[in-house]
Amino acid sequence: MNPLLDEVTKKWTERSSIRAFKPDPVPRATLVEMFASAQRAPSWCNVQPWHVYVTEPPFTAQLADEMIAAAKSGLPHSEVPFPMEYPTPYKERRIGCGSALYTAMGIARDDKAGRYDAWLRNYGFFDAPHLAVVSCDRRLGPYLYIDVGVWLGYVMTAAAALGIDNCPMASVAAYPEPLRTRLGIPDTDVILFGIALGLADPAAPANRCRTTREPVEANVTFASAPVSAP
Ligand SMILES: Cc1cc2nc3c(=O)[nH]c(=O)nc-3n(C[C@H](O)[C@H](O)[C@H](O)COP(=O)(O)O)c2cc1C
């Protein structure tokens, strides 16, 4: 038993991605506190490659309108390719994730319009008062995206401690133009993902979605002897 680890694990067990927010903004000082904690994230040669653009009301809703229009009118085209296929066991996990969300929202499997509306809500950032758009200097190459992923984990840890609800959002990266133009993200940066930030609407069905995790053996292999002879 380790009290600090127990505390962290409890926080992680309690958290979930939030897909319906109250309109109340998070005070800027609290957001700065969260990002300041995440600045301690380690990175390759300490280059700290994450660039973060945080929207505040009323601009968040204006950007959301543009993103919804972009999502309605064009095919997704993220700058970093999204997965094209999900071989087993990822396929089953992905289906489980979608099914948990649609069940929570009361959307039937064959309800195409309901699923489309739920998908489109990504581009309204689930009504969050803030969207953090995260980019990385493309001249560093894709390996450094790992650093940004590590940083995201730190942000989410700090958010859990501060009670800031959130949803990481790959979806917004699929329509990068409004983000790049309106936020002034330079062409030297690649847009990686967004993070919707705010306070959860506790009454929203989408926020009842809970996902499962595999047992540790599914992901972690210990090796005390070589698998093949040296
Ligand atoms: C990098 C990243 C991108 C994600 N993008 C989206 C997204 O665009 N839309 C969404 O609804 N959820 C998104 N999620 C949330 C995942 O679906 C969610 O983390 C996963 O299903 C596990 O559920 P939980 O976060 O509630 O534990 C994303 C998560 C990560 C880490």
Side-chain angles (χ1 to χ4, degrees):
M1 291 286 277
N2 177 303
L4 179 57
L5 182 62
D6 287 351
E7 183 80 7
V8 172
T9 307
K10 184 166 174 285
K11 282 277 181 208
W12 283 135
T13 310
E14 287 166 358
R15 73 150 285 287
S16 60
S17 288
I18 291 302
R19 298 184 180 88
F21 289 84
K22 296 201 274 191
D24 316 60
V26 181
R28 189 184 282 193
T30 310
L31 291 174
V32 170
E33 207 180 347
M34 177 185 75
F35 287 120
S37 172
Q39 285 295 105
R40 292 304 311 176
S43 56
W44 175 286
C45 297
N46 201 25
V47 295
Q48 305 162 60
W50 47 88
H51 295 152
V52 191
Y53 300 79
V54 188
T55 69
E56 294 175 309
F59 174 49
T60 310
Q62 294 162 9
L63 187 62
D65 285 346
E66 281 197 58
M67 289 297 283
I68 290 168
K72 277 180 173 171
S73 62
L75 292 173
H77 50 279
S78 58
E79 296 175 338
V80 176
F82 287 175
M84 295 297 286
E85 56 178 308
Y86 295 81
T88 295
Y90 315 111
K91 181 179 168 194
E92 291 75 10
R93 294 176 192 163
R94 183 182 187 224
I95 291 171
C97 160
S99 157
L101 179 59
Y102 293 131
T103 302
M105 295 179 78
I107 299 172
R109 184 176 257 278
D110 56 359
D111 179 0
K112 280 194 175 163
R115 284 180 175 237
Y116 179 78
D117 289 347
W119 169 80
L120 205 57
R121 282 186 53 73
N122 278 277
Y123 300 96
F125 322 139
F126 307 121
D127 298 324
H130 308 280
L131 179 74
V133 178
V134 184
S135 65
C136 180
D137 195 316
R138 66 175 88 236
R139 294 169 297 186
L140 295 166
Y143 198 86
L144 277 278
Y145 305 166
I146 293 172
D147 292 348
V148 187
V150 172
W151 170 87
L152 172 62
Y154 276 57
V155 169
M156 292 176 77
T157 304
L162 291 166
I164 302 173
D165 297 308
N166 59 83
C167 185
M169 303 201 72
S171 47
V172 296
Y175 298 94
E177 292 82 7
L179 305 176
R180 189 176 289 289
T181 310
R182 300 296 172 218
L183 292 162
I185 301 174
D187 289 339
T188 42
D189 270 27
V190 57
I191 295 176
L192 296 178
F193 55 85
I195 316 170
L197 295 161
L199 296 177
D201 173 354
N207 289 341
R208 282 189 224 125
C209 171
R210 292 294 176 274
T211 51
T212 58
R213 296 294 188 273
E214 299 294 320
V216 72
E217 305 79 51
N219 297 76
V220 181
T221 306
F222 290 95
S224 55
V227 173
S228 56

